[in-house]
């Protein structure tokens, strides 16, 4: 549905997804060193939920643009 969105919107979404993906990678790396860390586990779960929320919002935008 990316073709239905304004290019500025696509760039913002891609930038935000890149930030979230970086945070997920960093959290996973830290968890590999300290798998029992409750803060890191909660942070990773929250970050992944943020990504899912952003993807849902992007999907809703493409649906609204139809």
């Amino acid at each position: 549905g990316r073709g239905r969105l304004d290019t500025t919107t696509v760039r913002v979404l891609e930038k935000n997804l890149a930030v979230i993906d970086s945070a997920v990678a960093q959290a996973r790396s830290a968890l590999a060193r300290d798998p029992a860390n409750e803060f890191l586990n909660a942070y990773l779960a929250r970050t992944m939920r943020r990504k899912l929320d952003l993807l849902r919002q992007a999907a809703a935008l493409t649906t609204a643009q139809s």
Side-chain angles (χ1 to χ4, degrees), residues 1-14 16-17 52-66:
R2 135 189 331 238
R4 289 183 245 151
L5 297 174
D6 180 74
T7 56
T8 302
T9 302
V10 171
R11 277 195 306 272
V12 169
L13 288 169
E14 287 175 342
N16 286 324
L17 284 171
L52 183 57
D53 290 343
L54 182 58
L55 291 169
R56 284 182 176 147
Q57 289 173 10
L61 282 174
T62 61
T63 302
Q65 298 296 319
S66 299

Side-chain angles (χ1 to χ4, degrees), residues 8-61:
T8 302
T9 302
V10 171
R11 277 195 306 272
V12 169
L13 288 169
E14 287 175 342
K15 179 183 172 191
N16 286 324
L17 284 171
V19 168
I20 292 170
D21 285 342
S22 176
V24 167
Q26 290 175 24
R28 284 185 171 153
S29 177
L31 277 169
R33 294 184 302 276
D34 186 7
N37 187 306
E38 291 180 27
F39 171 80
L40 289 173
N41 278 296
Y43 175 78
L44 179 58
R46 280 192 315 272
T47 303
M48 293 183 83
R49 276 193 297 274
R50 284 188 192 120
K51 181 175 182 175
L52 183 57
D53 290 343
L54 182 58
L55 291 169
R56 284 182 176 147
Q57 289 173 10
L61 282 174

